[in-house]
Amino acid sequence: MAETKAAKVYVTRELPSAALDPLAEAATVRVWPEELPPPPEVLLAEAADADALLTLLTDRIDAAIMAAAPRLRVISNMAVGYDNIDVQEASRRGILVTNTPGILTKTTADFAFALLLAAARRVVEADRYTRQGRWKTWGPQILLGQDVYEATLGVVGLGGVGLEVAKRGRGFGMRVLYCDSTRRPKEERRYGLACVKLDQLLAESDFVSLHTPLTPETHHLIGERELALMKPTAVLVNTARGAIVDQRDLWRFLKDGRIAAAAIDVSEQEPIAPDDPLLGLDNIIITPHIASASVATRLGMARMAVDNLLTALRGQVPPQCVNREAIPRWRRALPR
Ligand code: DGY
């Protein structure tokens, strides 16, 4: 691996040593040591002489950073989503962008289902109720929620995580609808899923779980019109990206009881502002973007991000390259 040792790599957060050590053996590595992301000016300065960046979804890698980084050949994002990176600009410059798909699929689906169950059965509210000393007796009418078993689940986006959520729903005896730009007949047959249009899914589902990437097409995919199609008893779950939902509309619908509840692991602004009106509602659960946060999965993501980066530094195309159109330009820039 001697050929990569001269390469300079900037890593935007501390990662487990089991992932970072192999990187440090192979390249010259600088790591941002703090808990909060490096400020844009630090990122710009560090990228200036870097051959590779290992980034997180909290790091905005835009055209200005790439323009200031003439040696940059690969941006390895430790996430399946890569909406924090200007991929078009990277491709134009022959910079490979990689992500970490697959490894977090089941962990994220488990969490989406945990949120679904918790919102349906008001688990977080019930915990608060108990801690506040409000539990006086067994009450036939207190904290009534929605049944999950045999209800209808609508999965928006049948990628890896969406499919795993659908399978969990089938395990609960649910009727599962999905919508996606690509129809999946094999999965429909194998798992008993029905492909419908988004409007039908919203109108018929008791639980709607979002699993699309954030793109210009999916920005505010769920807003006033879509929320109005949902049942007043319905629960919305979002573990994908905050901006897929118009958060102001969601707040209005939850406040007015026009949908029963929501559970979101992501928000339009992250972290959510302390004065965001959503935080004042009881019928929403808000978690800090932790759907992939299991010990094993986060280590796996870090290792995959390091592997992707080292593969590119060795002059090979990493399998998780998301901008294959960049490859010809990237190859031309390789040292001969
Ligand atoms: C991702 O990978 O895109 C998730 O949002 C964080 O694990």
PDB file of all heavy atoms in Angstrom, residues 57 77-84 99-101 104 108 239-241 265-266 270 289-293 297-298 301, ligand 1:
ATOM      1  N   LEU A  57     -22.815  13.083   7.018  1.00  0.00           N
ATOM      2  CA  LEU A  57     -23.947  13.785   6.403  1.00  0.00           C
ATOM      3  C   LEU A  57     -24.102  15.216   6.901  1.00  0.00           C
ATOM      4  O   LEU A  57     -24.842  16.006   6.323  1.00  0.00           O
ATOM      5  CB  LEU A  57     -25.239  12.985   6.584  1.00  0.00           C
ATOM      6  CG  LEU A  57     -25.656  12.583   8.007  1.00  0.00           C
ATOM      7  CD1 LEU A  57     -26.423  13.679   8.680  1.00  0.00           C
ATOM      8  CD2 LEU A  57     -26.499  11.316   7.945  1.00  0.00           C
ATOM      9  N   ASN A  77     -18.427   9.321   1.784  1.00  0.00           N
ATOM     10  CA  ASN A  77     -19.421   9.762   2.758  1.00  0.00           C
ATOM     11  C   ASN A  77     -19.835   8.579   3.618  1.00  0.00           C
ATOM     12  O   ASN A  77     -20.202   7.520   3.095  1.00  0.00           O
ATOM     13  CB  ASN A  77     -20.655  10.298   2.001  1.00  0.00           C
ATOM     14  CG  ASN A  77     -21.383  11.396   2.738  1.00  0.00           C
ATOM     15  OD1 ASN A  77     -20.758  12.220   3.408  1.00  0.00           O
ATOM     16  ND2 ASN A  77     -22.699  11.422   2.613  1.00  0.00           N
ATOM     17  N   MET A  78     -19.765   8.756   4.936  1.00  0.00           N
ATOM     18  CA  MET A  78     -20.153   7.660   5.840  1.00  0.00           C
ATOM     19  C   MET A  78     -21.664   7.739   6.098  1.00  0.00           C
ATOM     20  O   MET A  78     -22.131   8.093   7.168  1.00  0.00           O
ATOM     21  CB  MET A  78     -19.372   7.756   7.152  1.00  0.00           C
ATOM     22  CG  MET A  78     -19.566   6.563   8.056  1.00  0.00           C
ATOM     23  SD  MET A  78     -18.756   6.798   9.638  1.00  0.00           S
ATOM     24  CE  MET A  78     -20.050   6.282  10.752  1.00  0.00           C
ATOM     25  N   ALA A  79     -22.429   7.426   5.077  1.00  0.00           N
ATOM     26  CA  ALA A  79     -23.897   7.451   5.127  1.00  0.00           C
ATOM     27  C   ALA A  79     -24.376   6.851   3.822  1.00  0.00           C
ATOM     28  O   ALA A  79     -23.636   6.858   2.825  1.00  0.00           O
ATOM     29  CB  ALA A  79     -24.420   8.876   5.241  1.00  0.00           C
ATOM     30  N   VAL A  80     -25.616   6.355   3.841  1.00  0.00           N
ATOM     31  CA  VAL A  80     -26.168   5.902   2.564  1.00  0.00           C
ATOM     32  C   VAL A  80     -26.640   7.111   1.760  1.00  0.00           C
ATOM     33  O   VAL A  80     -26.490   7.166   0.550  1.00  0.00           O
ATOM     34  CB  VAL A  80     -27.264   4.823   2.768  1.00  0.00           C
ATOM     35  CG1 VAL A  80     -28.482   5.366   3.478  1.00  0.00           C
ATOM     36  CG2 VAL A  80     -27.669   4.216   1.439  1.00  0.00           C
ATOM     37  N   GLY A  81     -27.178   8.126   2.455  1.00  0.00           N
ATOM     38  CA  GLY A  81     -27.610   9.352   1.775  1.00  0.00           C
ATOM     39  C   GLY A  81     -26.402  10.221   1.466  1.00  0.00           C
ATOM     40  O   GLY A  81     -25.417  10.202   2.210  1.00  0.00           O
ATOM     41  N   TYR A  82     -26.475  10.975   0.381  1.00  0.00           N
ATOM     42  CA  TYR A  82     -25.336  11.851   0.037  1.00  0.00           C
ATOM     43  C   TYR A  82     -25.824  13.196  -0.482  1.00  0.00           C
ATOM     44  O   TYR A  82     -25.182  13.846  -1.303  1.00  0.00           O
ATOM     45  CB  TYR A  82     -24.380  11.154  -0.945  1.00  0.00           C
ATOM     46  CG  TYR A  82     -25.058  10.448  -2.099  1.00  0.00           C
ATOM     47  CD1 TYR A  82     -25.374  11.129  -3.259  1.00  0.00           C
ATOM     48  CD2 TYR A  82     -25.386   9.107  -2.004  1.00  0.00           C
ATOM     49  CE1 TYR A  82     -26.015  10.487  -4.299  1.00  0.00           C
ATOM     50  CE2 TYR A  82     -26.032   8.451  -3.042  1.00  0.00           C
ATOM     51  CZ  TYR A  82     -26.335   9.141  -4.186  1.00  0.00           C
ATOM     52  OH  TYR A  82     -26.972   8.509  -5.213  1.00  0.00           O
ATOM     53  N   ASP A  83     -26.998  13.621   0.043  1.00  0.00           N
ATOM     54  CA  ASP A  83     -27.545  14.914  -0.364  1.00  0.00           C
ATOM     55  C   ASP A  83     -26.739  16.086   0.215  1.00  0.00           C
ATOM     56  O   ASP A  83     -27.000  17.235  -0.124  1.00  0.00           O
ATOM     57  CB  ASP A  83     -29.021  15.019   0.045  1.00  0.00           C
ATOM     58  CG  ASP A  83     -29.252  14.568   1.477  1.00  0.00           C
ATOM     59  OD1 ASP A  83     -29.300  13.355   1.712  1.00  0.00           O
ATOM     60  OD2 ASP A  83     -29.330  15.434   2.359  1.00  0.00           O
ATOM     61  N   ASN A  84     -25.753  15.795   1.076  1.00  0.00           N
ATOM     62  CA  ASN A  84     -24.865  16.851   1.595  1.00  0.00           C
ATOM     63  C   ASN A  84     -23.730  17.176   0.616  1.00  0.00           C
ATOM     64  O   ASN A  84     -22.937  18.080   0.855  1.00  0.00           O
ATOM     65  CB  ASN A  84     -24.250  16.413   2.934  1.00  0.00           C
ATOM     66  CG  ASN A  84     -23.513  15.076   2.840  1.00  0.00           C
ATOM     67  OD1 ASN A  84     -24.050  14.099   2.323  1.00  0.00           O
ATOM     68  ND2 ASN A  84     -22.294  15.026   3.314  1.00  0.00           N
ATOM     69  N   ASN A  99     -20.709   6.075  -0.970  1.00  0.00           N
ATOM     70  CA  ASN A  99     -21.591   6.050   0.210  1.00  0.00           C
ATOM     71  C   ASN A  99     -21.493   4.674   0.884  1.00  0.00           C
ATOM     72  O   ASN A  99     -20.652   3.847   0.487  1.00  0.00           O
ATOM     73  CB  ASN A  99     -23.027   6.414  -0.190  1.00  0.00           C
ATOM     74  CG  ASN A  99     -23.698   5.359  -1.043  1.00  0.00           C
ATOM     75  OD1 ASN A  99     -23.032   4.494  -1.622  1.00  0.00           O
ATOM     76  ND2 ASN A  99     -25.001   5.420  -1.148  1.00  0.00           N
ATOM     77  N   THR A 100     -22.343   4.438   1.880  1.00  0.00           N
ATOM     78  CA  THR A 100     -22.252   3.166   2.624  1.00  0.00           C
ATOM     79  C   THR A 100     -23.615   2.445   2.635  1.00  0.00           C
ATOM     80  O   THR A 100     -24.253   2.335   3.680  1.00  0.00           O
ATOM     81  CB  THR A 100     -21.795   3.419   4.080  1.00  0.00           C
ATOM     82  OG1 THR A 100     -22.724   4.317   4.711  1.00  0.00           O
ATOM     83  CG2 THR A 100     -20.406   4.017   4.134  1.00  0.00           C
ATOM     84  N   PRO A 101     -24.044   1.958   1.489  1.00  0.00           N
ATOM     85  CA  PRO A 101     -25.361   1.317   1.444  1.00  0.00           C
ATOM     86  C   PRO A 101     -25.325  -0.104   2.025  1.00  0.00           C
ATOM     87  O   PRO A 101     -24.252  -0.660   2.234  1.00  0.00           O
ATOM     88  CB  PRO A 101     -25.649   1.260  -0.056  1.00  0.00           C
ATOM     89  CG  PRO A 101     -24.302   1.162  -0.689  1.00  0.00           C
ATOM     90  CD  PRO A 101     -23.352   1.937   0.207  1.00  0.00           C
ATOM     91  N   LEU A 104     -26.456  -0.610   6.717  1.00  0.00           N
ATOM     92  CA  LEU A 104     -27.327  -0.017   7.734  1.00  0.00           C
ATOM     93  C   LEU A 104     -28.811  -0.313   7.496  1.00  0.00           C
ATOM     94  O   LEU A 104     -29.675   0.136   8.253  1.00  0.00           O
ATOM     95  CB  LEU A 104     -27.106   1.502   7.800  1.00  0.00           C
ATOM     96  CG  LEU A 104     -27.125   2.281   6.485  1.00  0.00           C
ATOM     97  CD1 LEU A 104     -28.481   2.422   5.912  1.00  0.00           C
ATOM     98  CD2 LEU A 104     -26.460   3.617   6.687  1.00  0.00           C
ATOM     99  N   THR A 108     -31.655   0.342  10.348  1.00  0.00           N
ATOM    100  CA  THR A 108     -32.531   1.501  10.138  1.00  0.00           C
ATOM    101  C   THR A 108     -33.993   1.064  10.094  1.00  0.00           C
ATOM    102  O   THR A 108     -34.871   1.729  10.654  1.00  0.00           O
ATOM    103  CB  THR A 108     -32.123   2.228   8.832  1.00  0.00           C
ATOM    104  OG1 THR A 108     -30.746   2.575   8.943  1.00  0.00           O
ATOM    105  CG2 THR A 108     -32.938   3.486   8.606  1.00  0.00           C
ATOM    106  N   THR A 239     -37.787   8.326   8.753  1.00  0.00           N
ATOM    107  CA  THR A 239     -36.392   8.046   9.132  1.00  0.00           C
ATOM    108  C   THR A 239     -35.467   8.337   7.940  1.00  0.00           C
ATOM    109  O   THR A 239     -34.309   7.921   7.955  1.00  0.00           O
ATOM    110  CB  THR A 239     -36.209   6.561   9.539  1.00  0.00           C
ATOM    111  OG1 THR A 239     -36.757   5.737   8.512  1.00  0.00           O
ATOM    112  CG2 THR A 239     -36.857   6.253  10.864  1.00  0.00           C
ATOM    113  N   ALA A 240     -35.996   9.029   6.934  1.00  0.00           N
ATOM    114  CA  ALA A 240     -35.213   9.227   5.697  1.00  0.00           C
ATOM    115  C   ALA A 240     -34.472  10.571   5.740  1.00  0.00           C
ATOM    116  O   ALA A 240     -33.312  10.610   6.182  1.00  0.00           O
ATOM    117  CB  ALA A 240     -36.120   9.099   4.488  1.00  0.00           C
ATOM    118  N   ARG A 241     -35.116  11.631   5.312  1.00  0.00           N
ATOM    119  CA  ARG A 241     -34.539  12.973   5.403  1.00  0.00           C
ATOM    120  C   ARG A 241     -35.658  13.940   5.761  1.00  0.00           C
ATOM    121  O   ARG A 241     -36.781  13.834   5.236  1.00  0.00           O
ATOM    122  CB  ARG A 241     -33.896  13.392   4.078  1.00  0.00           C
ATOM    123  CG  ARG A 241     -32.566  12.739   3.755  1.00  0.00           C
ATOM    124  CD  ARG A 241     -31.441  13.161   4.721  1.00  0.00           C
ATOM    125  NE  ARG A 241     -30.156  12.575   4.411  1.00  0.00           N
ATOM    126  CZ  ARG A 241     -29.686  11.432   4.927  1.00  0.00           C
ATOM    127  NH1 ARG A 241     -30.412  10.742   5.799  1.00  0.00           N
ATOM    128  NH2 ARG A 241     -28.486  10.988   4.590  1.00  0.00           N
ATOM    129  N   ASP A 265     -37.169  10.838  12.891  1.00  0.00           N
ATOM    130  CA  ASP A 265     -35.774  10.728  13.324  1.00  0.00           C
ATOM    131  C   ASP A 265     -34.931  11.795  12.635  1.00  0.00           C
ATOM    132  O   ASP A 265     -33.736  11.905  12.892  1.00  0.00           O
ATOM    133  CB  ASP A 265     -35.261   9.323  12.960  1.00  0.00           C
ATOM    134  CG  ASP A 265     -33.851   9.078  13.470  1.00  0.00           C
ATOM    135  OD1 ASP A 265     -33.602   9.392  14.655  1.00  0.00           O
ATOM    136  OD2 ASP A 265     -33.013   8.577  12.702  1.00  0.00           O
ATOM    137  N   VAL A 266     -35.562  12.545  11.737  1.00  0.00           N
ATOM    138  CA  VAL A 266     -34.854  13.521  10.912  1.00  0.00           C
ATOM    139  C   VAL A 266     -35.715  14.778  10.849  1.00  0.00           C
ATOM    140  O   VAL A 266     -36.939  14.683  10.953  1.00  0.00           O
ATOM    141  CB  VAL A 266     -34.643  12.956   9.484  1.00  0.00           C
ATOM    142  CG1 VAL A 266     -33.577  11.894   9.451  1.00  0.00           C
ATOM    143  CG2 VAL A 266     -35.944  12.390   8.899  1.00  0.00           C
ATOM    144  N   GLU A 270     -31.258  20.291  11.148  1.00  0.00           N
ATOM    145  CA  GLU A 270     -30.718  19.377  12.166  1.00  0.00           C
ATOM    146  C   GLU A 270     -29.521  20.026  12.838  1.00  0.00           C
ATOM    147  O   GLU A 270     -28.633  20.508  12.129  1.00  0.00           O
ATOM    148  CB  GLU A 270     -30.337  18.037  11.536  1.00  0.00           C
ATOM    149  CG  GLU A 270     -31.562  17.286  11.068  1.00  0.00           C
ATOM    150  CD  GLU A 270     -31.278  15.842  10.654  1.00  0.00           C
ATOM    151  OE1 GLU A 270     -30.124  15.387  10.787  1.00  0.00           O
ATOM    152  OE2 GLU A 270     -32.224  15.177  10.209  1.00  0.00           O
ATOM    153  N   HIS A 289     -31.708  11.681  14.737  1.00  0.00           N
ATOM    154  CA  HIS A 289     -31.105  11.039  13.561  1.00  0.00           C
ATOM    155  C   HIS A 289     -30.222   9.848  13.980  1.00  0.00           C
ATOM    156  O   HIS A 289     -29.015   9.824  13.696  1.00  0.00           O
ATOM    157  CB  HIS A 289     -30.312  12.075  12.737  1.00  0.00           C
ATOM    158  CG  HIS A 289     -30.191  11.698  11.287  1.00  0.00           C
ATOM    159  ND1 HIS A 289     -30.125  12.603  10.259  1.00  0.00           N
ATOM    160  CD2 HIS A 289     -30.105  10.482  10.687  1.00  0.00           C
ATOM    161  CE1 HIS A 289     -30.011  11.985   9.100  1.00  0.00           C
ATOM    162  NE2 HIS A 289     -29.992  10.681   9.339  1.00  0.00           N
ATOM    163  N   ILE A 290     -30.868   8.886  14.629  1.00  0.00           N
ATOM    164  CA  ILE A 290     -30.105   7.747  15.173  1.00  0.00           C
ATOM    165  C   ILE A 290     -30.557   6.404  14.591  1.00  0.00           C
ATOM    166  O   ILE A 290     -30.236   5.354  15.143  1.00  0.00           O
ATOM    167  CB  ILE A 290     -30.203   7.666  16.718  1.00  0.00           C
ATOM    168  CG1 ILE A 290     -31.666   7.624  17.178  1.00  0.00           C
ATOM    169  CG2 ILE A 290     -29.438   8.808  17.371  1.00  0.00           C
ATOM    170  CD1 ILE A 290     -31.845   7.165  18.611  1.00  0.00           C
ATOM    171  N   ALA A 291     -31.303   6.422  13.494  1.00  0.00           N
ATOM    172  CA  ALA A 291     -31.863   5.153  13.005  1.00  0.00           C
ATOM    173  C   ALA A 291     -30.791   4.113  12.700  1.00  0.00           C
ATOM    174  O   ALA A 291     -31.020   2.916  12.845  1.00  0.00           O
ATOM    175  CB  ALA A 291     -32.749   5.397  11.786  1.00  0.00           C
ATOM    176  N   SER A 292     -29.604   4.546  12.297  1.00  0.00           N
ATOM    177  CA  SER A 292     -28.553   3.564  11.990  1.00  0.00           C
ATOM    178  C   SER A 292     -27.607   3.353  13.174  1.00  0.00           C
ATOM    179  O   SER A 292     -26.568   2.691  13.031  1.00  0.00           O
ATOM    180  CB  SER A 292     -27.747   4.014  10.768  1.00  0.00           C
ATOM    181  OG  SER A 292     -27.016   5.194  11.067  1.00  0.00           O
ATOM    182  N   ALA A 293     -27.986   3.918  14.332  1.00  0.00           N
ATOM    183  CA  ALA A 293     -27.023   3.964  15.441  1.00  0.00           C
ATOM    184  C   ALA A 293     -27.006   2.699  16.293  1.00  0.00           C
ATOM    185  O   ALA A 293     -27.378   2.721  17.469  1.00  0.00           O
ATOM    186  CB  ALA A 293     -27.296   5.193  16.307  1.00  0.00           C
ATOM    187  N   THR A 297     -23.447  -1.534  13.437  1.00  0.00           N
ATOM    188  CA  THR A 297     -23.703  -0.865  12.152  1.00  0.00           C
ATOM    189  C   THR A 297     -22.833   0.369  11.975  1.00  0.00           C
ATOM    190  O   THR A 297     -22.274   0.598  10.898  1.00  0.00           O
ATOM    191  CB  THR A 297     -25.199  -0.537  12.012  1.00  0.00           C
ATOM    192  OG1 THR A 297     -25.874  -1.780  11.859  1.00  0.00           O
ATOM    193  CG2 THR A 297     -25.501   0.338  10.822  1.00  0.00           C
ATOM    194  N   ARG A 298     -22.689   1.168  13.024  1.00  0.00           N
ATOM    195  CA  ARG A 298     -21.851   2.362  12.873  1.00  0.00           C
ATOM    196  C   ARG A 298     -20.392   1.969  12.608  1.00  0.00           C
ATOM    197  O   ARG A 298     -19.705   2.616  11.819  1.00  0.00           O
ATOM    198  CB  ARG A 298     -21.975   3.271  14.093  1.00  0.00           C
ATOM    199  CG  ARG A 298     -23.297   4.026  14.115  1.00  0.00           C
ATOM    200  CD  ARG A 298     -23.341   5.120  13.041  1.00  0.00           C
ATOM    201  NE  ARG A 298     -24.665   5.663  12.837  1.00  0.00           N
ATOM    202  CZ  ARG A 298     -25.225   6.628  13.575  1.00  0.00           C
ATOM    203  NH1 ARG A 298     -24.563   7.155  14.579  1.00  0.00           N
ATOM    204  NH2 ARG A 298     -26.437   7.059  13.294  1.00  0.00           N
ATOM    205  N   MET A 301     -20.296   0.911   8.992  1.00  0.00           N
ATOM    206  CA  MET A 301     -20.345   2.073   8.087  1.00  0.00           C
ATOM    207  C   MET A 301     -18.976   2.749   8.011  1.00  0.00           C
ATOM    208  O   MET A 301     -18.513   3.129   6.924  1.00  0.00           O
ATOM    209  CB  MET A 301     -21.397   3.083   8.577  1.00  0.00           C
ATOM    210  CG  MET A 301     -22.824   2.629   8.404  1.00  0.00           C
ATOM    211  SD  MET A 301     -23.989   3.665   9.346  1.00  0.00           S
ATOM    212  CE  MET A 301     -23.924   5.204   8.425  1.00  0.00           C
TER     213      MET A 301
HETATM  214  C1  DGY B   1     -27.708   7.673   6.175  1.00  0.00           C
HETATM  215  O1  DGY B   1     -26.800   6.832   6.175  1.00  0.00           O
HETATM  216  O2  DGY B   1     -27.973   8.344   5.180  1.00  0.00           O
HETATM  217  C2  DGY B   1     -28.497   7.832   7.425  1.00  0.00           C
HETATM  218  O3  DGY B   1     -29.346   8.919   7.406  1.00  0.00           O
HETATM  219  C3  DGY B   1     -27.586   7.915   8.652  1.00  0.00           C
HETATM  220  O4  DGY B   1     -27.152   6.642   8.903  1.00  0.00           O
END
